[in-house]
Amino acid sequence: MKSIPIILLGCGGVGRQLLHHIISCRSLHSKQGIIIRLVGVSDSSSLLVSDDIMLSGMRNEFLAEICHVKSAGSPLKSLLNHGHCQLYTGQGALENIVSIASSLGRSTGLAVVDCSASAETEQVSSLGCCVVLANKKPLTCAIEDFEKLVSHFRRIRFESTVGAGLPVIASVTRVISSGDPISRIVGSLSGTLGYVMSELEEGKAFSEIVRAAKSLGYTEPDPRDDLSGMDVARKGLILSRLLGWRINLSDIKIESLYPSEFGPDSMSTEDFLSKGLWQLDEKLKERVATASSKGNVLRYVCVIEDSRCNVGLQELPKDSALGRLRGSDNVVEIYSRCYKNSPLVIQGAGAGNDTTAAGVLADIIDLQDIFA
Ligand SMILES: NC(=O)c1ccc[n+]([C@@H]2O[C@H](COP(=O)([O-])OP(=O)(O)OC[C@H]3O[C@@H](n4cnc5c(N)ncnc54)[C@H](OP(=O)(O)O)[C@@H]3O)[C@@H](O)[C@H]2O)c1
Ligand SMILES: *[C@@H]1O[C@H](CO)[C@@H](O)[C@H](O)[C@H]1NC(C)=O
Ligand SMILES: *[C@@H]1O[C@H](CO)[C@@H](O)[C@H](O)[C@H]1NC(C)=O
Protein backbone atom coordinates (compact mmCIF):
# COMPACT_ATOMS: atom_id res chain seq x y z
CA MET A 1 0.00 0.00 0.00
CA LYS A 2 1.19 3.51 -0.89
CA SER A 3 0.21 6.01 1.77
CA ILE A 4 -0.27 9.61 0.64
CA PRO A 5 -0.21 12.22 3.42
CA ILE A 6 -2.06 15.44 2.63
CA ILE A 7 -2.59 18.83 4.25
CA LEU A 8 -5.79 20.56 3.20
CA LEU A 9 -5.75 24.37 3.28
CA GLY A 10 -9.28 25.78 3.24
CA CYS A 11 -12.39 23.98 4.29
CA GLY A 12 -15.09 25.81 2.33
CA GLY A 13 -17.38 24.48 -0.39
CA VAL A 14 -14.55 22.84 -2.36
CA GLY A 15 -12.42 21.67 0.58
CA ARG A 16 -15.35 19.96 2.28
CA GLN A 17 -16.44 18.30 -0.94
CA LEU A 18 -12.89 17.01 -1.34
CA LEU A 19 -13.06 15.44 2.12
CA HIS A 20 -16.34 13.75 1.14
CA HIS A 21 -14.79 12.45 -2.10
CA ILE A 22 -11.76 11.10 -0.23
CA ILE A 23 -13.95 9.23 2.24
CA SER A 24 -16.23 7.79 -0.44
CA CYS A 25 -13.27 6.73 -2.62
CA ARG A 26 -11.53 4.78 0.18
CA SER A 27 -12.33 1.35 -1.25
CA LEU A 28 -11.59 2.39 -4.85
CA HIS A 29 -8.21 3.77 -3.76
CA SER A 30 -7.42 0.72 -1.70
CA LYS A 31 -7.96 -1.46 -4.82
CA GLN A 32 -5.43 0.82 -6.54
CA GLY A 33 -3.03 0.32 -3.64
CA ILE A 34 -3.42 3.85 -2.27
CA ILE A 35 -4.42 5.22 1.12
CA ILE A 36 -4.95 8.96 1.54
CA ARG A 37 -4.08 10.19 5.00
CA LEU A 38 -5.25 13.63 6.12
CA VAL A 39 -2.47 14.90 8.40
CA GLY A 40 -3.58 18.54 8.51
CA VAL A 41 -6.69 20.63 7.81
CA SER A 42 -6.87 24.42 8.06
CA ASP A 43 -9.33 27.27 7.75
CA SER A 44 -8.55 31.00 7.80
CA SER A 45 -7.88 31.05 11.54
CA SER A 46 -6.39 27.72 12.55
CA LEU A 47 -4.78 24.42 11.63
CA LEU A 48 -5.49 20.95 12.97
CA VAL A 49 -2.56 18.54 12.83
CA SER A 50 -2.73 14.82 13.40
CA ASP A 51 -0.68 13.64 16.43
CA ASP A 52 1.23 11.06 14.44
CA ILE A 53 1.89 12.57 11.02
CA MET A 54 4.29 9.75 10.12
CA LEU A 55 1.87 6.89 10.45
CA SER A 56 -1.74 7.81 10.98
CA GLY A 57 -4.25 10.33 9.71
CA MET A 58 -7.59 11.78 10.73
CA ARG A 59 -10.38 9.24 10.95
CA ASN A 60 -13.43 9.39 8.68
CA GLU A 61 -15.73 10.23 11.61
CA PHE A 62 -13.49 13.12 12.61
CA LEU A 63 -13.37 14.45 9.02
CA ALA A 64 -17.17 14.28 8.90
CA GLU A 65 -17.27 16.23 12.16
CA ILE A 66 -14.97 18.90 10.63
CA CYS A 67 -17.29 19.21 7.61
CA HIS A 68 -20.28 19.45 9.90
CA VAL A 69 -18.80 22.29 11.97
CA LYS A 70 -17.53 24.19 8.91
CA SER A 71 -20.82 23.95 7.01
CA ALA A 72 -22.57 25.39 10.05
CA GLY A 73 -20.31 28.44 9.55
CA SER A 74 -18.20 27.90 12.67
CA PRO A 75 -14.39 28.05 12.78
CA LEU A 76 -12.30 24.88 13.20
CA LYS A 77 -11.20 26.07 16.61
CA SER A 78 -14.77 25.71 17.87
CA LEU A 79 -14.51 21.90 17.59
CA LEU A 80 -14.86 20.60 21.13
CA ASN A 81 -13.16 17.30 20.54
CA HIS A 82 -9.89 17.54 18.60
CA GLY A 83 -9.68 13.80 17.96
CA HIS A 84 -6.04 12.78 17.93
CA CYS A 85 -5.03 16.24 16.77
CA GLN A 86 -3.38 19.44 17.91
CA LEU A 87 -4.83 22.85 17.10
CA TYR A 88 -2.57 25.72 16.07
CA THR A 89 -3.58 29.30 15.44
CA GLY A 90 -2.04 32.41 13.90
CA GLN A 91 1.65 32.27 13.01
CA GLY A 92 1.92 28.85 14.67
CA ALA A 93 -0.36 27.40 12.01
CA LEU A 94 1.81 28.54 9.12
CA GLU A 95 5.01 27.47 10.89
CA ASN A 96 3.56 24.00 11.34
CA ILE A 97 2.62 23.69 7.68
CA VAL A 98 6.15 24.63 6.72
CA SER A 99 7.62 22.18 9.22
CA ILE A 100 5.43 19.26 8.08
CA ALA A 101 6.18 20.08 4.45
CA SER A 102 9.93 20.05 5.20
CA SER A 103 9.88 16.79 7.12
CA LEU A 104 7.49 14.76 4.95
CA GLY A 105 7.83 16.51 1.59
CA ARG A 106 10.73 14.81 -0.11
CA SER A 107 10.42 11.40 1.48
CA THR A 108 6.68 10.64 1.32
CA GLY A 109 5.09 12.62 -1.50
CA LEU A 110 3.14 14.79 0.92
CA ALA A 111 0.64 16.93 -0.99
CA VAL A 112 -0.28 20.40 0.21
CA VAL A 113 -3.75 20.98 -1.23
CA ASP A 114 -4.81 24.62 -1.52
CA CYS A 115 -8.59 25.03 -1.54
CA SER A 116 -8.34 28.38 0.21
CA ALA A 117 -8.47 31.92 -1.05
CA SER A 118 -5.11 33.07 0.29
CA ALA A 119 -1.80 33.58 -1.50
CA GLU A 120 0.58 31.66 0.76
CA THR A 121 1.07 28.30 -0.96
CA GLU A 122 4.07 29.57 -2.89
CA GLN A 123 6.06 29.41 0.37
CA VAL A 124 5.87 25.62 0.60
CA SER A 125 6.60 24.79 -3.03
CA SER A 126 10.37 24.91 -2.51
CA LEU A 127 10.28 22.42 0.38
CA GLY A 128 10.06 19.34 -1.80
CA CYS A 129 6.40 18.49 -1.28
CA CYS A 130 3.70 18.18 -3.93
CA VAL A 131 1.28 21.07 -4.37
CA VAL A 132 -2.28 20.92 -5.71
CA LEU A 133 -4.22 24.13 -6.20
CA ALA A 134 -7.88 24.96 -6.75
CA ASN A 135 -6.99 28.48 -5.63
CA LYS A 136 -6.02 30.76 -8.52
CA LYS A 137 -4.40 33.48 -6.41
CA PRO A 138 -0.87 32.07 -6.08
CA LEU A 139 -0.78 31.61 -9.87
CA THR A 140 -2.17 35.00 -10.88
CA CYS A 141 -0.22 37.41 -8.67
CA ALA A 142 3.42 38.21 -9.40
CA ILE A 143 4.94 36.39 -12.39
CA GLU A 144 7.94 35.44 -10.22
CA ASP A 145 5.65 33.46 -7.88
CA PHE A 146 4.02 31.68 -10.82
CA GLU A 147 7.42 30.76 -12.23
CA LYS A 148 8.63 29.53 -8.88
CA LEU A 149 5.57 27.29 -8.52
CA VAL A 150 5.67 25.80 -12.02
CA SER A 151 9.44 25.32 -11.93
CA HIS A 152 8.57 22.23 -9.85
CA PHE A 153 6.35 21.06 -12.69
CA ARG A 154 6.66 17.38 -11.73
CA ARG A 155 5.30 18.16 -8.28
CA ILE A 156 2.53 20.69 -8.94
CA ARG A 157 -0.96 20.41 -10.41
CA PHE A 158 -3.64 23.09 -10.72
CA GLU A 159 -6.17 21.56 -13.10
CA SER A 160 -9.20 22.86 -11.19
CA THR A 161 -8.20 26.52 -11.52
CA VAL A 162 -9.42 26.57 -15.14
CA GLY A 163 -12.69 24.83 -16.07
CA ALA A 164 -12.95 23.06 -12.68
CA GLY A 165 -12.60 19.28 -13.29
CA LEU A 166 -12.27 19.58 -17.09
CA PRO A 167 -8.81 18.54 -18.33
CA VAL A 168 -7.97 21.94 -19.85
CA ILE A 169 -4.54 22.43 -18.30
CA ALA A 170 -3.60 18.77 -18.79
CA SER A 171 -4.50 19.08 -22.49
CA VAL A 172 -2.58 22.32 -22.99
CA THR A 173 0.42 20.83 -21.16
CA ARG A 174 0.38 17.66 -23.28
CA VAL A 175 0.25 19.65 -26.51
CA ILE A 176 3.15 21.83 -25.33
CA SER A 177 5.21 18.81 -24.20
CA SER A 178 4.81 17.17 -27.58
CA GLY A 179 6.47 20.17 -29.23
CA ASP A 180 3.30 21.12 -31.08
CA PRO A 181 3.17 24.93 -31.01
CA ILE A 182 -0.12 26.36 -29.76
CA SER A 183 -1.19 29.34 -31.86
CA ARG A 184 -4.54 30.17 -30.30
CA ILE A 185 -6.76 29.28 -27.37
CA VAL A 186 -10.35 30.50 -27.24
CA GLY A 187 -12.49 29.65 -24.26
CA SER A 188 -15.83 30.31 -22.68
CA LEU A 189 -14.63 29.93 -19.10
CA SER A 190 -17.52 31.27 -17.05
CA GLY A 191 -20.62 29.14 -16.61
CA THR A 192 -22.57 32.26 -15.65
CA LEU A 193 -21.55 34.24 -18.73
CA GLY A 194 -22.09 31.20 -20.97
CA TYR A 195 -25.63 30.98 -19.65
CA VAL A 196 -26.19 34.74 -20.11
CA MET A 197 -24.96 34.65 -23.71
CA SER A 198 -27.09 31.70 -24.75
CA GLU A 199 -30.18 33.25 -23.15
CA LEU A 200 -29.45 36.52 -25.00
CA GLU A 201 -29.39 34.52 -28.22
CA GLU A 202 -32.90 33.26 -27.39
CA GLY A 203 -34.03 36.89 -27.49
CA LYS A 204 -34.43 37.51 -23.77
CA ALA A 205 -33.47 40.84 -22.20
CA PHE A 206 -30.09 41.04 -20.44
CA SER A 207 -31.61 42.44 -17.24
CA GLU A 208 -34.15 39.62 -17.01
CA ILE A 209 -31.50 36.98 -17.64
CA VAL A 210 -29.15 38.29 -14.97
CA ARG A 211 -31.93 38.59 -12.39
CA ALA A 212 -33.13 35.06 -13.18
CA ALA A 213 -29.56 33.70 -13.02
CA LYS A 214 -29.08 35.33 -9.63
CA SER A 215 -32.27 33.86 -8.22
CA LEU A 216 -31.26 30.41 -9.53
CA GLY A 217 -27.96 30.75 -7.64
CA TYR A 218 -25.92 30.75 -10.89
CA THR A 219 -24.15 34.02 -10.06
CA GLU A 220 -22.01 35.35 -7.23
CA PRO A 221 -24.05 37.19 -4.55
CA ASP A 222 -23.15 40.40 -6.43
CA PRO A 223 -23.57 39.41 -10.12
CA ARG A 224 -21.07 42.12 -11.09
CA ASP A 225 -18.34 39.77 -9.83
CA ASP A 226 -19.22 37.56 -12.82
CA LEU A 227 -20.11 40.35 -15.28
CA SER A 228 -16.80 42.17 -14.76
CA GLY A 229 -14.93 39.36 -16.54
CA MET A 230 -12.21 39.40 -13.85
CA ASP A 231 -12.52 35.70 -13.04
CA VAL A 232 -12.28 34.80 -16.74
CA ALA A 233 -9.20 37.05 -16.99
CA ARG A 234 -7.49 35.17 -14.14
CA LYS A 235 -8.09 31.88 -15.97
CA GLY A 236 -6.84 33.44 -19.21
CA LEU A 237 -3.74 34.61 -17.36
CA ILE A 238 -2.99 31.11 -16.10
CA LEU A 239 -3.31 29.69 -19.64
CA SER A 240 -1.19 32.50 -21.13
CA ARG A 241 1.54 31.99 -18.54
CA LEU A 242 1.44 28.23 -19.26
CA LEU A 243 2.32 29.12 -22.84
CA GLY A 244 5.41 30.80 -21.41
CA TRP A 245 4.26 34.41 -21.71
CA ARG A 246 5.54 36.63 -18.91
CA ILE A 247 2.39 38.72 -18.59
CA ASN A 248 0.44 40.14 -15.66
CA LEU A 249 -3.27 40.58 -15.02
CA SER A 250 -2.90 44.27 -15.89
CA ASP A 251 -1.71 43.32 -19.41
CA ILE A 252 -5.05 41.66 -20.18
CA LYS A 253 -7.68 43.73 -21.94
CA ILE A 254 -10.94 43.02 -20.13
CA GLU A 255 -14.35 44.09 -21.41
CA SER A 256 -16.76 44.37 -18.50
CA LEU A 257 -20.45 43.85 -19.25
CA TYR A 258 -21.33 46.92 -17.17
CA PRO A 259 -19.86 50.44 -17.35
CA SER A 260 -17.65 51.69 -14.52
CA GLU A 261 -20.32 54.17 -13.36
CA PHE A 262 -22.44 51.12 -12.42
CA GLY A 263 -19.58 49.60 -10.43
CA PRO A 264 -19.63 48.54 -6.76
CA ASP A 265 -17.98 51.84 -5.73
CA SER A 266 -20.87 53.89 -7.11
CA MET A 267 -23.91 51.63 -6.72
CA SER A 268 -25.20 49.00 -4.29
CA THR A 269 -26.03 45.52 -5.60
CA GLU A 270 -29.75 46.24 -5.15
CA ASP A 271 -29.55 49.50 -7.12
CA PHE A 272 -27.57 47.80 -9.85
CA LEU A 273 -30.19 45.08 -10.17
CA SER A 274 -33.20 47.40 -10.05
CA LYS A 275 -31.95 50.62 -11.69
CA GLY A 276 -28.71 49.97 -13.56
CA LEU A 277 -29.15 46.66 -15.30
CA TRP A 278 -32.05 47.43 -17.66
CA GLN A 279 -30.14 50.36 -19.16
CA LEU A 280 -27.74 47.82 -20.65
CA ASP A 281 -30.44 45.79 -22.43
CA GLU A 282 -30.66 47.73 -25.68
CA LYS A 283 -26.96 47.83 -26.53
CA LEU A 284 -26.48 44.11 -25.96
CA LYS A 285 -29.57 43.33 -28.01
CA GLU A 286 -28.05 45.31 -30.90
CA ARG A 287 -24.73 43.48 -30.64
CA VAL A 288 -26.46 40.10 -30.72
CA ALA A 289 -28.44 41.23 -33.80
CA THR A 290 -25.32 42.53 -35.57
CA ALA A 291 -23.53 39.23 -35.00
CA SER A 292 -26.55 37.26 -36.16
CA SER A 293 -26.88 39.30 -39.38
CA LYS A 294 -23.37 38.04 -40.30
CA GLY A 295 -24.22 34.44 -39.48
CA ASN A 296 -22.30 34.66 -36.20
CA VAL A 297 -23.16 34.39 -32.53
CA LEU A 298 -21.95 36.55 -29.68
CA ARG A 299 -19.94 34.83 -26.93
CA TYR A 300 -18.09 36.08 -23.86
CA VAL A 301 -14.67 34.54 -24.28
CA CYS A 302 -11.02 34.71 -23.47
CA VAL A 303 -8.85 34.80 -26.62
CA ILE A 304 -5.18 33.95 -26.29
CA GLU A 305 -3.23 34.63 -29.46
CA ASP A 306 -0.13 36.51 -30.72
CA SER A 307 1.24 37.07 -27.20
CA ARG A 308 -1.98 38.79 -26.16
CA CYS A 309 -4.87 37.76 -23.97
CA ASN A 310 -8.20 39.56 -24.44
CA VAL A 311 -11.35 38.93 -22.48
CA GLY A 312 -14.76 40.09 -23.67
CA LEU A 313 -17.51 39.76 -26.27
CA GLN A 314 -16.56 38.22 -29.61
CA GLU A 315 -18.51 37.25 -32.71
CA LEU A 316 -17.83 33.61 -33.48
CA PRO A 317 -19.04 31.30 -36.24
CA LYS A 318 -22.37 29.60 -35.46
CA ASP A 319 -20.99 26.21 -36.43
CA SER A 320 -17.89 26.29 -34.20
CA ALA A 321 -17.79 24.47 -30.86
CA LEU A 322 -18.14 27.82 -29.08
CA GLY A 323 -20.92 28.90 -31.41
CA ARG A 324 -22.89 25.74 -30.65
CA LEU A 325 -22.49 26.22 -26.90
CA ARG A 326 -25.75 26.36 -24.96
CA GLY A 327 -26.25 26.85 -21.23
CA SER A 328 -23.58 26.99 -18.58
CA ASP A 329 -20.97 24.55 -19.95
CA ASN A 330 -17.39 25.69 -20.39
CA VAL A 331 -15.80 25.20 -23.81
CA VAL A 332 -12.15 25.58 -24.76
CA GLU A 333 -10.80 25.38 -28.32
CA ILE A 334 -7.06 24.81 -28.70
CA TYR A 335 -5.41 25.50 -32.09
CA SER A 336 -1.90 24.29 -32.88
CA ARG A 337 -0.04 22.80 -35.83
CA CYS A 338 -1.68 19.42 -35.27
CA TYR A 339 -5.04 20.96 -34.40
CA LYS A 340 -5.03 23.65 -37.04
CA ASN A 341 -8.33 23.46 -38.90
CA SER A 342 -10.12 21.22 -36.47
CA PRO A 343 -9.23 22.41 -32.95
CA LEU A 344 -8.89 20.25 -29.88
CA VAL A 345 -12.13 20.94 -28.00
CA ILE A 346 -12.81 20.38 -24.32
CA GLN A 347 -16.37 20.88 -23.13
CA GLY A 348 -18.44 20.20 -20.03
CA ALA A 349 -19.54 21.57 -16.68
CA GLY A 350 -16.83 24.00 -15.60
CA ALA A 351 -17.81 24.99 -12.07
CA GLY A 352 -19.28 23.71 -8.85
CA ASN A 353 -17.85 22.30 -5.64
CA ASP A 354 -18.30 18.70 -6.77
CA THR A 355 -16.48 18.85 -10.14
CA THR A 356 -13.80 21.19 -8.74
CA ALA A 357 -13.08 18.84 -5.82
CA ALA A 358 -13.06 15.84 -8.18
CA GLY A 359 -10.41 17.62 -10.27
CA VAL A 360 -8.36 18.25 -7.13
CA LEU A 361 -8.56 14.59 -6.10
CA ALA A 362 -7.50 13.42 -9.57
CA ASP A 363 -4.52 15.83 -9.35
CA ILE A 364 -3.48 14.37 -5.97
CA ILE A 365 -3.53 10.81 -7.35
CA ASP A 366 -1.83 11.85 -10.59
CA LEU A 367 1.16 13.30 -8.74
CA GLN A 368 1.95 10.08 -6.93
CA ASP A 369 3.51 8.39 -9.94
CA ILE A 370 6.77 10.21 -9.31
CA PHE A 371 7.03 8.61 -5.87
CA ALA A 372 6.23 5.07 -7.05
N1 LIG B 1 -16.39 26.74 -6.06
C1 LIG B 1 -15.96 26.55 -7.29
O1 LIG B 1 -16.71 26.16 -8.18
C2 LIG B 1 -14.50 26.82 -7.62
C3 LIG B 1 -14.03 26.47 -8.91
C4 LIG B 1 -12.66 26.64 -9.20
C5 LIG B 1 -11.82 27.19 -8.25
N2 LIG B 1 -12.32 27.57 -7.03
C6 LIG B 1 -11.39 28.14 -6.06
O2 LIG B 1 -11.20 27.22 -5.00
C7 LIG B 1 -10.96 27.92 -3.79
C8 LIG B 1 -11.97 27.47 -2.75
O3 LIG B 1 -13.28 27.78 -3.21
P1 LIG B 1 -14.54 27.65 -2.27
O4 LIG B 1 -15.71 27.85 -3.14
O5 LIG B 1 -14.42 26.42 -1.46
O6 LIG B 1 -14.35 28.93 -1.31
P2 LIG B 1 -14.96 29.16 0.12
O7 LIG B 1 -16.19 28.35 0.30
O8 LIG B 1 -14.99 30.63 0.30
O9 LIG B 1 -13.86 28.55 1.11
C9 LIG B 1 -12.60 29.09 1.27
C10 LIG B 1 -11.93 28.41 2.44
O10 LIG B 1 -10.59 28.89 2.53
C11 LIG B 1 -10.34 29.28 3.86
N3 LIG B 1 -9.28 30.29 3.87
C12 LIG B 1 -9.32 31.59 3.49
N4 LIG B 1 -8.14 32.17 3.68
C13 LIG B 1 -7.32 31.22 4.21
C14 LIG B 1 -5.98 31.20 4.66
N5 LIG B 1 -5.23 32.31 4.63
N6 LIG B 1 -5.46 30.03 5.12
C15 LIG B 1 -6.21 28.92 5.17
N7 LIG B 1 -7.50 28.88 4.78
C16 LIG B 1 -8.04 30.02 4.32
C17 LIG B 1 -11.67 29.78 4.39
O11 LIG B 1 -11.61 29.79 5.79
P3 LIG B 1 -12.88 30.19 6.69
O12 LIG B 1 -13.77 28.98 6.65
O13 LIG B 1 -12.27 30.41 8.03
O14 LIG B 1 -13.47 31.41 6.08
C18 LIG B 1 -12.60 28.73 3.80
O15 LIG B 1 -12.60 27.57 4.60
C19 LIG B 1 -11.07 29.41 -4.12
O16 LIG B 1 -9.78 29.94 -4.30
C20 LIG B 1 -11.85 29.43 -5.41
O17 LIG B 1 -11.53 30.53 -6.21
C21 LIG B 1 -13.64 27.37 -6.70
C1 LIG C 1 -20.65 25.12 -2.82
O1 LIG C 1 -20.57 25.09 -1.43
C2 LIG C 1 -20.99 26.28 -0.79
C3 LIG C 1 -20.69 26.16 0.66
O2 LIG C 1 -21.17 24.92 1.16
C4 LIG C 1 -22.47 26.50 -1.06
O3 LIG C 1 -22.91 27.70 -0.48
C5 LIG C 1 -22.66 26.57 -2.57
O4 LIG C 1 -24.04 26.67 -2.86
C6 LIG C 1 -22.10 25.33 -3.24
N1 LIG C 1 -22.16 25.56 -4.68
C7 LIG C 1 -22.68 24.68 -5.51
C8 LIG C 1 -22.73 25.07 -6.93
O5 LIG C 1 -23.12 23.59 -5.13
C1 LIG D 1 4.62 42.20 -14.38
O1 LIG D 1 4.86 42.54 -13.05
C2 LIG D 1 6.20 42.35 -12.65
C3 LIG D 1 6.25 42.57 -11.18
O2 LIG D 1 5.64 41.48 -10.55
C4 LIG D 1 7.11 43.30 -13.38
O3 LIG D 1 8.46 43.08 -13.01
C5 LIG D 1 6.94 43.04 -14.85
O4 LIG D 1 7.66 44.00 -15.57
C6 LIG D 1 5.48 43.08 -15.25
N1 LIG D 1 5.41 42.61 -16.62
C7 LIG D 1 4.77 43.26 -17.55
C8 LIG D 1 4.81 42.64 -18.92
O5 LIG D 1 4.15 44.29 -17.34
Side-chain angles (χ1 to χ4, degrees), residues 141-144 241 246-248 250-251:
C141 294
I143 182 78
E144 292 78 12
R241 287 177 166 182
R246 307 192 81 232
I247 65 168
N248 298 326
S250 57
D251 300 315

Side-chain angles (χ1 to χ4, degrees), residues 262-283:
F262 292 180
D265 294 337
S266 343
M267 222 181 239
S268 68
T269 310
E270 292 67 38
D271 281 354
F272 175 71
L273 289 168
S274 62
K275 300 189 189 121
L277 205 47
W278 66 269
Q279 299 180 53
L280 309 172
D281 287 353
E282 203 51 37
K283 207 170 135 212

